[in-house]
Amino acid sequence: MVQRKAKQKTKQKGGAEWSHNHDHRLCIVDALDRAADLCAGRGARLTSIRRRVLELIWSSHRPIGAYSLLEVLKQERANAAPPTIYRALEFLLEQGLIHRIESQNAYIGCPNPDPDQQHKGMFLICTDCGNAVELEETKIDRLLRNSASNQGFVIESRTVEAAGLCPECQVS
Amino acid sequence: MVQRKAKQKTKQKGGAEWSHNHDHRLCIVDALDRAADLCAGRGARLTSIRRRVLELIWSSHRPIGAYSLLEVLKQERANAAPPTIYRALEFLLEQGLIHRIESQNAYIGCPNPDPDQQHKGMFLICTDCGNAVELEETKIDRLLRNSASNQGFVIESRTVEAAGLCPECQVS
DNA sequence: ACACAAATGTTATATTATAACAATTATAAA
DNA sequence: TTTATAATTGTTATAATATAACATTTGTGT
């Protein structure tokens, strides 16, 4: 088990997520550490390509497209091609380490990957700065399930993406 | 104002939406009538292409892709091309007559287009039969807005798509 | 009939994603 | 340690979705 700095980091609540000038290096390190732990625990192989793609995705809090990732990866691995990226994305999605933002055909790191099950996130996405924050709204999830259940529908997975202005971008 | 049969049709509540053998012709007629009314009221031009694309979208309750639409339209208009479809889709989206299902890159008719504002729907999509039903869950919407608001985030639009099994497809 | 704006036609291309098969690398059984 | 096997990556090609740009036609109001 990798010792992680994450344990020392106090997680702030309530909008701190939107701060445009946090120490983002910590986000990256934490994400990579968590990923390593999770994969180790599952016997899943976080190869160097996969690790690097995850790192690139975590290079910001903005969803990033497959071909943007490819552009960067190509500078390091001349033979990187679309399948290189898409395979890595597939793996990371399966492991619950990233989410796909359907409304943007883009990918974003999961800040809280669940060791037991991979969840689908709920996101607030700023139309101005592009940053996206994942919500953990069990209430909404429950309400949605109930609502579906009223029609006899059983939800297996869901996509919730809200676009708008983050607190920092409202000052205009 | 077009007289519509819709007014005679009693709308059933609670799962009737999933019935695989309703008289779908009524759905189509209603949708086209509503569209005509709405566009007339707005001075928007529901041209024959646009009308036909809307009709094709309403040919089922399954989200349909742009190129599937194009395939059909081509049989009627030899010179139909991708822009033909995408322009029609753009118009219909603007008028709130259809919704885009982000998780499928596909389009579906809006059963309840709002004369005043175009809303983004919330959908239950059956992974078996492919049918999708639009929810009107102001509660969920409110909860989502509140939850965003707690972070200082203002939602402008949202995507909610839940995949699972509809009542009819659960019997297996 | 004319002028203008809106809609459509047409060609080309951008963007996102997957198929198919070959080569390589890791793993663990013999 | 070698070898068999499965997993990963390389490579080429192509599918699927979407838009750009400019020409032409059609509709609308004057």
Side-chain angles (χ1 to χ4, degrees):
Chain A
M1 196 75 147
V2 178
Q3 282 300 327
R4 8 171 180 142
K5 287 181 184 146
K7 281 166 186 163
Q8 289 148 266
K9 188 185 152 201
T10 330
K11 205 157 201 176
Q12 293 162 292
K13 265 286 181 187
E17 288 86 350
W18 293 106
S19 174
H20 283 192
N21 48 6
H22 60 290
D23 184 350
H24 188 61
R25 288 168 304 174
L26 287 182
C27 297
I28 300 175
V29 171
D30 286 353
L32 292 178
D33 282 353
R34 275 193 308 269
D37 283 0
L38 265 180
C39 290
R42 288 169 181 163
R45 289 170 54 196
L46 187 62
T47 63
S48 69
I49 292 182
R50 292 165 174 175
R51 181 183 195 80
R52 180 65 177 131
V53 169
L54 180 59
E55 191 179 21
L56 291 175
I57 289 173
W58 269 102
S59 68
S60 81
H61 289 283
R62 284 181 293 283
I64 183 171
Y67 281 77
S68 299
L69 291 167
L70 180 55
E71 229 174 89
V72 182
L73 196 64
K74 256 184 175 162
Q75 295 169 6
E76 305 163 5
R77 297 183 158 257
N79 49 9
T84 315
I85 294 292
Y86 281 102
R87 285 166 182 159
L89 291 174
E90 188 186 14
F91 173 86
L92 297 170
L93 285 167
E94 273 169 1
Q95 298 300 321
L97 297 170
I98 63 173
H99 295 290
R100 179 179 157 84
I101 302 296
E102 302 289 351
S103 56
Q104 297 186 13
N105 298 332
Y107 305 84
I108 191 168
C110 175
N112 219 341
D114 190 316
D116 303 322
Q117 46 163 352
Q118 99 254 51
H119 63 277
K120 294 265 218 152
M122 300 186 24
F123 298 91
L124 301 179
I125 308 164
C126 181
T127 50
D128 190 51
C129 65
N131 284 339
V133 157
E134 186 171 347
L135 293 177
E136 291 186 47
E137 284 300 335
T138 38
K139 247 196 270 182
I140 295 178
D141 200 46
R142 206 153 41 218
L143 202 49
L144 190 54
R145 275 172 204 288
N146 284 346
S147 177
S149 172
N150 284 342
Q151 311 214 359
F153 188 99
V154 178
I155 294 179
E156 280 162 359
S157 83
R158 81 211 174 337
T159 295
V160 177
E161 295 166 14
L165 283 180
C166 81
E168 305 240 335
C169 291
Q170 279 165 44
V171 297
S172 85
Chain B
M1 193 75 147
V2 177
Q3 283 300 327
R4 10 172 176 140
K5 289 186 182 142
K7 282 165 186 164
Q8 290 150 264
K9 188 184 155 202
T10 330
K11 205 156 200 178
Q12 294 163 292
K13 266 285 180 185
E17 288 86 350
W18 293 108
S19 174
H20 282 193
N21 47 6
H22 62 290
D23 185 351
H24 188 61
R25 287 170 304 175
L26 288 181
C27 296
I28 301 176
V29 171
D30 287 354
L32 292 178
D33 283 352
R34 276 194 308 270
D37 283 1
L38 265 180
C39 290
R42 288 169 181 161
R45 290 171 51 196
L46 187 61
T47 63
S48 69
I49 292 183
R50 291 165 175 177
R51 181 184 196 77
R52 181 63 178 134
V53 169
L54 180 59
E55 192 179 20
L56 291 175
I57 290 173
W58 269 102
S59 68
S60 81
H61 290 283
R62 284 182 292 282
I64 183 171
Y67 281 77
S68 299
L69 292 167
L70 180 55
E71 230 173 89
V72 182
L73 196 64
K74 258 184 175 162
Q75 296 170 5
E76 306 162 5
R77 298 183 157 256
N79 49 9
T84 314
I85 294 293
Y86 281 102
R87 284 165 183 160
L89 291 173
E90 188 186 14
F91 173 86
L92 296 169
L93 285 166
E94 273 169 2
Q95 299 301 322
L97 297 170
I98 62 172
H99 295 291
R100 180 181 155 84
I101 302 296
E102 302 289 350
S103 56
Q104 296 187 13
N105 297 333
Y107 305 84
I108 192 169
C110 175
N112 221 339
D114 190 317
D116 303 322
Q117 45 163 352
Q118 98 253 52
H119 62 276
K120 295 265 219 151
M122 300 186 25
F123 298 91
L124 301 180
I125 308 164
C126 181
T127 50
D128 189 50
C129 66
N131 283 339
V133 158
E134 186 171 349
L135 294 178
E136 290 186 49
E137 285 300 335
T138 38
K139 246 195 273 180
I140 295 177
D141 200 46
R142 206 153 41 220
L143 202 50
L144 190 54
R145 274 172 205 289
N146 283 346
S147 174
S149 173
N150 284 342
Q151 310 214 359
F153 189 98
V154 178
I155 294 179
E156 280 162 359
S157 83
R158 67 189 177 23
T159 293
V160 177
E161 296 166 13
L165 283 180
C166 81
E168 306 240 337
C169 291
Q170 279 166 44
V171 296
S172 85

